[in-house]
């Protein structure tokens, strides 16, 4: 085999491992939702522990994204991939063997941190291994993984609980990661690149990590633990966020001027495609991820669906996303952010139609009636996630790809937390009462966030056109 052919084969194998790792970590965001009743029964877990099983994963996932992205840039993404994948696999095993609620919560915190360590390496490796049209294709496949893992989580979780039983079925929600993780580790040890990374990026920006980490915690903690962090405490934490971010920006600028290695090179935000793309992605994730929570609750509590039936009702979205991600990853090379705008239009249409149909009280036929609009929304979603990822990172220096991806994904996690908190807050505010009214309110939040993402995309298009227009005297 020629050297070029061997390199071509190798990078597609690297991509396959990246997609598998991404699927595992993102699946664990949603698959556990339907296992909560089984966890409560199996461990006699109190409601606060169940809340932290979900929110703890999201919190530590978002907390480590940026520093772990920089660590991969500095010391080699292949090495960090192996360490993170091993940690995620071990944490999954610890979660599955939990003997009490505290054990499970700690395991989920570790699992979230390992997932947040792994994801920047995945995106950095894709950017490093692929260029031009191939990069669009690779990010398209990753976008399909994001859509499928998010939407299929409730279905897979419901199926596992159905097969393994309600008492101990929740353990297999975590154990399913073990054979996949071990097989991926064996393959990654042979395939992953072992580059030493960029030595110029080495150096611990301890104060920067502390300030950014504190800002992320103060922002996310009241959102992911709304029962424990309600009232004046939540407002105090949110009030600290802009202060911490201002201190972070001031310190990062000072660190750069003195020739240090800042946690985040703020020159990233001078790249308009990156700034617009990161903002658009944050708003879109606030919209599209929140629908799975409110629809799952609506189908199960409002209509009496089983966990498996609720998962099946959400499957059209996953199918549409998987199909469109594949071809949109190629189209973005020619059309750029226009593909994203087209996808946003489809997603907005699908979600708005779903909201209107459910407001008409479809009863037991709700899952069937919403199948087509959810399919349309999924097709649109597949045209947003991966193309936006490709365009957003297109002008970023590959050497800093992990850090840039970490910052971008932190925004997505913040968007997810804000969107879910808003949608679920509006949903439960209408209860006890009419579930049709509740789901209409919940989906209204999702539609609003997606509409805001559309406005950001249109604004970027307008700014780009003005820059290209020849100046007149």
């Amino acid at each position: 085999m020629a050297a070029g052919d061997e390199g071509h084969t190798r990078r597609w194998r690297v991509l396959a491992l990246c997609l598998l790792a991404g699927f595992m970590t993102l699946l664990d965001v949603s698959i556990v939702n339907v296992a909560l009743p089984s966890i409560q029964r199996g461990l006699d877990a109190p409601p606060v522990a169940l809340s932290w099983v979900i929110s703890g994963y999201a919190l530590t996932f978002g907390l480590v994204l940026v520093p772990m992205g920089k660590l991969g840039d500095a010391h080699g993404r292949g090495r960090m991939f192996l360490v993170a994948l091993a940690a995620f696999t071990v944490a999954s095993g610890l979660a599955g063997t939990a003997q009490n609620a505290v054990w499970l919560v700690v395991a989920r915190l570790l699992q979230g941190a390992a997932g947040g360590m792994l994801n920047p390496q995945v995106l950095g490796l894709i950017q490093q291994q692929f260029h031009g049209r191939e990069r669009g294709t690779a990010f398209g496949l990753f976008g399909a993984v994001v859509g499928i893992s998010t939407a299929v989580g409730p279905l897979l979780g419901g199926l596992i609980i159905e097969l393994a039983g309600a008492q101990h079925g929740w353990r297999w929600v975590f154990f399913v990661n073990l054979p996949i993780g071990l097989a991926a580790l064996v393959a990654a040890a042979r395939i992953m690149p072992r580059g030493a990374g960029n030595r110029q990026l080495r150096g611990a920006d301890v104060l920067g990590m502390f300030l950014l980490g504190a800002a992320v915690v103060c922002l996310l903690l009241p959102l992911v633990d709304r029962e424990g962090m309600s009232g004046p405490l939540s407002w105090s934490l949110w009030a600290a966020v802009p202060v911490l971010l201002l201190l972070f920006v001031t310190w990062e600028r000072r660190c750069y001027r003195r020739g240090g290695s800042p946690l985040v090179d703020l020159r990233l935000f001078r790249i308009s495609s990156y700034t617009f793309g990161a903002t658009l992605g944050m708003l879109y994730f606030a919209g599209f991820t929140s629908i799975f929570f409110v629809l799952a609750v609506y189908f199960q509590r409002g209509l009496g669906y089983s966990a498996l039936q609720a998962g099946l009702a959400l499957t059209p979205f996953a199918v549409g996303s998987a199909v469109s991600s594949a071809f949109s990853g190629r189209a973005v090379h020619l059309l750029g952010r226009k593909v994203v705008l087209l996808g946003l239009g489809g997603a907005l249409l699908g979600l708005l139609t779903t909201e209107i149909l459910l407001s008409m009280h479809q009863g037991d036929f709700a899952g069937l009636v919403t199948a087509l609009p959810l399919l349309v929304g999924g097709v649109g979603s597949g045209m947003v996630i991966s193309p936006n990822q490709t365009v957003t990172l297109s002008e970023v220096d590959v050497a800093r790809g992990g850090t840039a991806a970490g910052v971008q994904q932190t925004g997505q996690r913040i968007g997810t937390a804000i969107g879910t908190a808003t949608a679920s807050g509006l949903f439960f505010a209408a209860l006890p009462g009419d579930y049709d009214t509740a789901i209409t309110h919940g989906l209204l939040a999702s539609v609003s966030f997606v509409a805001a993402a559309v406005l950001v995309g249109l604004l970027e298009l307008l700014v780009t056109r003005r820059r290209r227009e020849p100046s007149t005297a």
Side-chain angles (χ1 to χ4, degrees):
M1 182 182 293
D5 293 336
E6 184 178 353
H8 181 271
T9 302
R10 185 185 185 89
R11 65 175 174 266
W12 287 103
R13 289 175 179 172
V14 169
L15 176 64
L17 286 172
C18 287
L19 297 182
L20 182 61
F23 180 80
M24 287 172 60
T25 58
L26 295 173
L27 182 70
D28 269 65
V29 177
S30 60
I31 193 174
V32 181
N33 285 322
V34 296
L36 292 180
S38 177
I39 292 172
Q40 186 174 31
R41 187 178 295 109
L43 294 179
D44 194 23
V48 65
L50 296 177
S51 175
W52 272 97
V53 167
I54 300 296
S55 61
Y57 184 92
L59 181 63
T60 53
F61 191 107
L63 185 61
V64 304
L65 281 167
V66 177
M68 292 302 106
K70 186 192 175 186
L71 204 60
D73 291 343
H75 295 278
R77 297 175 188 124
R79 295 176 181 178
M80 289 298 297
F81 181 96
L82 283 165
V83 172
L85 181 58
F88 188 85
T89 305
V90 170
S92 298
L94 288 173
T97 56
Q99 299 302 303
N100 53 60
V102 174
W103 180 334
L104 180 59
V105 168
V106 172
R108 282 289 283 175
L109 292 172
L110 295 174
Q111 194 185 33
M117 177 190 248
L118 188 57
N119 267 265
Q121 317 314 325
V122 168
L123 294 176
L125 283 164
I126 292 175
Q127 191 182 15
Q128 173 184 321
Q129 295 289 315
F130 296 91
H131 305 277
R133 191 183 299 272
E134 279 192 341
R135 181 181 289 177
T137 302
F139 274 127
L141 293 172
F142 182 76
V145 165
V146 173
I148 292 172
S149 60
T150 304
V152 84
L155 173 61
L156 183 58
L159 183 60
I160 290 174
I161 299 297
E162 191 86 9
L163 294 174
Q167 185 69 23
H168 296 291
W170 66 270
R171 296 186 183 277
W172 292 97
V173 167
F174 301 110
F175 284 151
V176 73
N177 289 328
L178 298 184
I180 300 173
L182 290 172
L185 275 170
V186 172
R190 299 175 54 191
I191 295 171
M192 277 293 160
R194 300 298 176 84
N198 189 336
R199 295 181 181 273
Q200 294 180 348
L201 299 179
R202 295 183 182 180
D205 180 9
V206 178
L207 183 57
M209 285 189 285
F210 171 78
L211 290 172
L212 182 61
V216 171
V217 169
C218 288
L219 178 62
L220 291 183
L221 193 56
L223 294 172
V224 300
D225 186 16
R226 284 170 289 167
E227 294 183 6
M229 294 287 170
S230 59
L233 179 57
S234 63
W235 290 108
S236 299
L237 290 172
W238 282 332
V241 173
V243 177
L244 289 167
L245 288 177
L246 179 60
L247 291 173
F248 172 73
V249 170
T250 303
W251 169 254
E252 294 299 280
R253 286 176 174 172
R254 182 181 180 186
C255 183
Y256 176 74
R257 285 197 302 267
R258 291 188 171 188
S261 178
L263 178 64
V264 177
D265 187 345
L266 297 177
R267 291 176 297 175
L268 270 175
F269 297 101
R270 296 179 186 175
I271 304 172
S272 63
S273 60
Y274 181 82
T275 302
F276 275 111
T279 305
L280 187 153
M282 181 175 67
L283 290 169
Y284 183 68
F285 268 73
F288 106 95
T289 54
S290 59
I291 69 168
F292 300 108
F293 179 82
V294 293
L295 282 175
V297 174
Y298 170 73
F299 284 132
Q300 291 183 74
R301 296 187 188 178
L303 301 180
Y305 283 23
S306 68
L308 182 57
Q309 289 173 323
L312 285 170
L314 294 171
T315 301
F317 193 99
V319 172
S321 179
V323 171
S324 65
S325 290
F327 72 78
S328 63
R330 300 176 182 178
V332 71
H333 185 69
L334 298 174
L335 301 176
R337 195 87 75 187
K338 293 178 183 178
V339 175
V340 180
L341 279 170
L342 184 61
L344 284 170
L348 187 61
L349 175 63
L351 294 181
L352 189 58
T353 305
T354 300
E355 179 192 7
I356 293 172
L357 289 173
L358 291 180
S359 69
M360 297 177 180
H361 184 65
Q362 303 296 335
D364 293 338
F365 296 101
L368 183 62
V369 170
T370 58
L372 181 57
L374 284 177
L375 178 65
V376 172
V379 171
S381 185
M383 297 171 66
V384 174
I385 297 173
S386 57
N388 186 60
Q389 193 87 54
T390 304
V391 178
T392 301
L393 296 177
S394 61
E395 298 181 67
V396 174
D397 182 4
V398 173
R400 299 179 183 272
T403 306
V407 172
Q408 184 185 11
Q409 285 199 315
T410 300
Q412 293 172 359
R413 300 282 75 75
I414 290 171
T416 298
I418 292 174
T420 302
T422 305
S424 61
L426 291 172
F427 179 88
F428 288 115
L431 300 175
D434 184 4
Y435 271 94
D436 294 327
T437 301
I439 190 61
T440 300
H441 290 175
L443 289 178
L444 179 63
S446 300
V447 169
S448 299
F449 282 119
V450 175
V454 172
L455 292 178
V456 171
L458 291 173
L459 179 61
E460 182 191 17
L461 195 63
L462 180 63
V463 169
T464 303
R465 284 182 176 179
R466 285 187 175 180
R467 285 178 179 173
R468 291 176 179 174
E469 289 177 356
S471 58
T472 57

